[in-house]
C-alpha cells in the first residue's frame, strides 16, 4: 500500500493575489512530478538550479511554492520530461545535503495530484496556458523546446537559464517580489520577543511595547528619539504627546510640525483646504517621511557623537589592557621557549644515555646467553662423568678379581715350567 501525504501550500504576491492549494504525495515511482520540501531560505533559486546540476536539462518546469507554516523554507515542484529521469533524480538527490556546510538535506516525494482552492481556473504550469507568453528577460517565447522554465513565487515565469543569470538579488525581475523567505525575523533587540514591536524612525532600533518589557519606551528615555512606528499597524507614535500622529509637515521655521485639521485651522485663522495642496498624494507622503526623518537629525548626530566619544574612551582602555596582556603573554612565551630549549637538551642527553644503556643491555644479553650455553654444556658433561664414575665403581671389583686370577695363572704356569724343567734334568 502506497504511503500518501497532503502538503498545503500558497503562492503569489500578497499585495496582488495569492493562490492556496494542496499537494498529494506518495511513493509511486511512476510519477513525472516530484516535490522538494524544506529548501533552506539561504539557497536562492539560481543556486537551487545549480544544485540540480545536469538534471536541470531533464526538468521541463520548476515552480516555487511556500508551505502554510514555513517561515524559513520553501518548496519546489519539478516536472521532468520522463518518468525514468524523475526516478533517477529521486535516487541520486534524496537525502543529499544542499551544501557541504549545512545540515539540511534534500527531501523528495513523488506527486500524484495538485489541487487549487477557490473558484478560479488555475493551471499548475502557467505558461502552457498562454500562447503568446514570453520571458521578460530575453523576450523569447516560453516553450519547453527552448529550455526549462521556472515559475517563481509571485507566479511570473521565466527561462531557467535567464533567471540563473540574475544573481545580484533574490527578487522577481518583473515585480521585484522577494522569492525566498528571509532568515531574519523582527525581534526585540533587548529581550528577543516577536510580539508588540515598535521601530524607532530615527535610528531604526526595534523594541517591545509598554505592555511587554517597555524596551521601546526605554530607548526613547535614553536617546530622546520622539517618533516610533508600530510594526503591526504601521502607525506612528509621538512619545512627547503620548498619542498617534500621522500627518507631519515642515513649517516656515524649518521645523517639523503636525498638519492641523480643519477645525484647528479655523481657530488659527489660516484655513487651508487639502484640495488646494499642490503636491500629489505620493509626493506629499514622501515629503512627510523625509521631514519626519530630518526632525531630530541634530539630536541624532549629538547622540551618536557622544556614543562615539564613549566608544573611543572604552577602546583606548581596552587597547591598553590588551597591550598589557600581549606583553605579559610575550614574556610568558619567552620563558616557555627557554624551558622548551632546556627540555629539548635534556631530551637529547636522555636519548644518548638510553642508547648507551641499550647497547650495554644488548652486550650483557649476549654474554648471558653465551654463559648459559656453556653452563648447560658443563652440566651435561658433569652428568656424563658422573654416570661414567658410577659405572666405573660398579665394574671395579670384577676387574681386580680377574687381574688376580690372571696373575695366579701366570704363577702356576711358571711353576709348571719349573717342575717340568727339573724333571727333565
Amino acid at each position: 500500500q502506497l504511503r500518501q501525504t497532503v502538503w498545503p501550500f500558497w503562492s503569489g504576491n500578497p499585495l496582488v493575489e495569492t493562490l492556496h492549494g494542496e499537494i498529494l504525495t506518495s511513493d509511486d515511482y511512476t510519477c513525472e512530478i516530484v516535490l522538494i520540501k524544506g529548501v533552506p531560505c539561504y539557497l536562492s533559486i539560481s543556486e537551487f538550479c545549480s544544485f540540480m546540476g545536469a538534471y536541470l536539462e531533464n526538468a521541463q518546469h520548476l515552480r516555487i511554492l511556500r508551505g502554510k507554516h514555513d517561515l524559513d523554507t520553501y518548496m519546489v515542484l519539478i516536472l521532468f520530461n520522463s518518468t525514468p529521469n524523475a526516478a533517477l533524480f529521486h535516487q541520486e538527490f534524496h537525502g543529499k545535503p544542499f551544501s557541504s556546510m549545512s545540515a539540511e538535506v534534500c527531501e523528495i516525494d513523488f506527486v500524484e495530484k495538485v489541487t487549487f482552492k477557490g473558484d478560479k481556473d488555475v493551471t499548475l504550469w502557467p505558461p502552457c496556458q498562454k500562447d503568446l507568453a514570453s520571458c521578460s528577460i530575453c523576450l523569447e517565447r516560453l516553450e519547453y523546446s527552448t529550455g526549462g522554465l521556472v515559475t517563481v513565487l509571485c507566479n511570473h515565469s521565466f527561462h531557467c537559464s535567464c533567471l540563473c543569470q540574475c544573481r545580484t538579488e533574490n527578487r522577481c525581475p518583473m515585480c521585484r517580489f522577494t522569492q525566498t523567505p528571509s532568515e531574519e525575523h523582527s525581534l526585540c533587540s533587548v529581550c528577543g520577543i516577536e510580539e508588540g514591536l515598535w521601530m524607532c524612525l530615527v535610528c531604526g532600533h526595534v523594541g517591545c511595547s509598554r505592555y511587554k518589557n517597555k524596551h521601546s519606551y526605554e530607548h526613547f528615555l535614553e536617546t530622546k528619539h520622539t517618533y516610533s512606528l508600530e510594526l503591526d499597524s504601521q502607525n506612528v507614535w509621538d512619545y512627547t504627546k503620548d498619542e498617534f500622529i500621522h500627518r507631519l509637515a515642515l513649517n516656515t521655521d524649518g521645523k517639523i510640525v503636525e498638519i492641523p485639521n480643519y477645525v484647528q485651522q479655523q481657530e488659527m485663522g489660516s484655513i487651508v483646504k487639502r484640495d488646494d495642496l499642490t503636491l500629489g498624494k505620493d509626493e506629499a507622503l514622501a515629503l512627510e517621511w523625509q521631514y519626519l526623518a530630518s526632525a531630530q537629525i541634530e539630536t541624532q548626530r549629538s547622540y551618536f557623537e557622544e556614543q562615539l566619544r564613549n566608544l573611543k574612551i572604552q577602546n583606548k582602555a581596552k587597547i591598553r589592557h590588551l597591550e598589557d596582556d600581549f606583553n605579559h603573554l610575550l614574556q610568558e612565551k619567552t620563558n616557555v621557549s627557554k624551558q622548551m630549549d632546556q627540555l629539548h637538551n635534556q631530551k637529547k642527553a636522555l636519548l644518548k644515555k638510553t642508547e648507551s644503556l641499550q647497547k650495554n643491555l644488548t652486550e650483557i644479553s649476549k654474554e648471558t646467553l653465551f654463559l648459559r650455553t656453556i653452563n648447560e654444556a658443563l652440566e651435561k658433561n658433569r652428568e656424563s662423568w658422573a654416570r661414567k664414575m658410577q659405572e666405573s665403581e660398579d665394574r671395579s671389583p670384577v676387574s681386580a678379581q680377574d687381574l688376580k686370577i690372571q696373575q695366579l695363572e701366570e704363577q702356576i704356569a711358571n711353576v709348571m715350567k719349573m717342575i717340568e724343567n727339573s724333571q727333565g734334568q
Side-chain angles (χ1 to χ4, degrees):
Q1 185 177 1
L2 297 178
R3 178 180 59 88
Q4 295 182 337
T5 309
V6 177
W7 302 92
F9 70 90
W10 67 270
S11 66
N13 188 339
L15 299 178
V16 181
E17 181 185 19
T18 56
L19 302 175
H20 296 267
E22 294 179 347
I23 302 174
L24 179 63
T25 61
S26 67
D27 298 333
D28 188 5
Y29 284 78
T30 61
C31 300
E32 297 179 352
I33 304 175
V34 298
L35 172 66
I36 301 180
K37 312 180 298 293
V39 182
C41 59
Y42 61 79
L43 197 70
S44 64
I45 299 175
S46 58
E47 291 172 343
F48 178 81
C49 293
S50 301
F51 170 74
M52 291 183 61
Y55 285 91
L56 186 63
E57 298 179 357
N58 300 324
Q60 289 184 337
H61 207 128
L62 283 71
R63 179 151 188 175
I64 310 300
L65 304 172
R66 287 285 300 278
K68 186 176 181 181
H69 303 290
D70 294 341
L71 297 178
D72 54 357
T73 59
Y74 61 96
M75 301 185 296
V76 182
L77 271 178
I78 305 178
L79 172 64
F80 283 92
N81 52 10
S82 64
T83 301
N85 288 331
L88 289 175
F89 179 78
H90 179 276
Q91 181 180 357
E92 182 172 348
F93 283 85
H94 185 67
K96 179 180 179 180
F98 287 102
S99 66
S100 59
M101 302 298 293
S102 65
E104 296 87 352
V105 296
C106 182
E107 299 180 3
I108 305 176
D109 287 336
F110 290 94
V111 177
E112 284 191 0
K113 185 179 180 182
V114 180
T115 58
F116 288 91
K117 297 180 180 180
D119 300 332
K120 294 184 178 180
D121 186 12
V122 182
T123 180
L124 182 59
W125 315 112
C128 300
Q129 195 180 31
K130 303 176 183 179
D131 296 334
L132 300 178
S134 60
C135 176
S136 60
I137 300 177
C138 66
L139 303 181
E140 296 290 337
R141 295 188 61 179
L142 293 173
E143 296 178 347
Y144 294 147
S145 59
T146 59
L149 307 181
V150 56
T151 300
V152 295
L153 186 62
C154 56
N155 298 328
H156 291 136
S157 300
F158 310 93
H159 291 115
C160 288
S161 57
C162 296
L163 191 63
C164 289
Q165 297 176 3
C166 302
R167 298 176 178 270
T168 55
E169 55 185 7
N170 194 24
R171 296 178 180 271
C172 174
M174 184 177 295
C175 66
R176 316 304 295 171
F177 179 66
T178 303
Q179 297 304 304
T180 57
S182 175
E183 291 183 282
E184 300 181 355
H185 305 291
S186 295
L187 302 173
C188 177
S189 58
V190 180
C191 62
I193 64 175
E194 300 181 2
E195 299 178 353
L197 300 180
W198 294 74
M199 183 183 70
C200 177
L201 295 178
V202 179
C203 65
H205 175 272
V206 179
C208 53
S209 67
R210 302 183 186 182
Y211 303 102
K212 299 296 182 180
N213 296 324
K214 302 181 180 180
H215 291 135
S216 179
Y217 182 69
E218 291 177 357
H219 174 73
F220 161 70
L221 296 178
E222 293 175 359
T223 62
K224 303 304 179 183
H225 294 172
T226 306
Y227 303 110
S228 182
L229 175 69
E230 186 180 15
L231 297 182
D232 294 335
S233 63
Q234 300 294 311
N235 293 331
V236 180
W237 182 267
D238 185 355
Y239 283 107
T240 58
K241 296 182 180 180
D242 202 23
E243 63 181 10
F244 285 106
I245 56 171
H246 313 292
R247 304 293 293 175
L248 300 176
L250 193 68
N251 64 2
T252 56
D253 297 332
K255 298 181 180 179
I256 292 182
V257 296
E258 181 182 2
I259 296 179
N261 56 30
Y262 188 79
V263 177
Q264 292 174 339
Q265 291 173 353
Q266 282 184 333
E267 293 176 354
M268 291 186 301
S270 57
I271 301 175
V272 179
K273 296 181 180 180
R274 296 187 182 273
D275 296 337
D276 296 335
L277 294 176
T278 58
L279 293 178
K281 182 178 179 180
D282 295 338
E283 295 177 351
L285 184 60
L287 281 176
E288 289 177 12
W289 285 106
Q290 181 181 358
Y291 297 152
L292 182 63
S294 61
Q296 296 181 343
I297 191 67
E298 187 66 26
T299 305
Q300 181 183 6
R301 183 181 63 81
S302 302
Y303 169 74
F304 282 109
E305 286 180 353
E306 183 66 24
Q307 293 291 327
L308 185 60
R309 284 193 294 270
N310 295 334
L311 287 175
K312 286 182 179 180
I313 296 173
Q314 295 176 4
N315 290 334
K316 287 182 180 179
K318 290 181 180 179
I319 290 172
R320 287 195 297 269
H321 181 68
L322 291 174
E323 288 178 350
D324 296 338
D325 291 343
F326 177 76
N327 294 330
H328 179 68
L329 292 174
L330 189 61
Q331 183 64 30
E332 289 184 354
K333 177 180 177 295
T334 305
N335 297 334
V336 171
S337 299
K338 292 180 180 179
Q339 294 178 2
M340 289 295 294
D341 294 337
Q342 295 177 359
L343 293 175
H344 187 66
N345 295 330
Q346 293 178 4
K347 179 183 176 183
K348 288 183 177 179
L350 290 174
L351 287 175
K352 291 181 179 179
K353 188 175 181 180
T354 303
E355 292 177 357
S356 176
L357 292 175
Q358 189 68 27
K359 290 180 180 179
N360 294 336
L361 179 61
T362 304
E363 294 176 357
I364 291 172
S365 299
K366 292 180 180 179
E367 291 179 358
T368 303
L369 181 61
F370 176 71
L371 292 175
R372 187 180 291 112
T373 304
I374 293 175
N375 188 25
E376 291 177 354
L378 291 175
E379 185 67 24
K380 290 180 180 180
N381 293 334
R382 186 185 68 78
E383 292 177 355
S384 177
W385 284 108
R387 285 194 301 271
K388 289 181 181 181
M389 289 292 295
Q390 185 67 31
E391 292 175 357
S392 176
E393 289 178 357
D394 294 339
R395 291 196 305 268
S396 60
V398 177
S399 300
Q401 187 177 1
D402 293 340
L403 182 62
K404 189 174 182 180
I405 291 171
Q406 186 178 1
Q407 290 176 358
L408 288 174
E409 289 178 351
E410 290 178 355
Q411 290 177 4
I412 291 171
N414 293 329
V415 170
M416 290 298 293
K417 288 180 178 182
M418 291 177 62
I419 293 173
E420 288 177 356
N421 292 330
S422 64
Q423 289 180 357
Q425 296 178 356

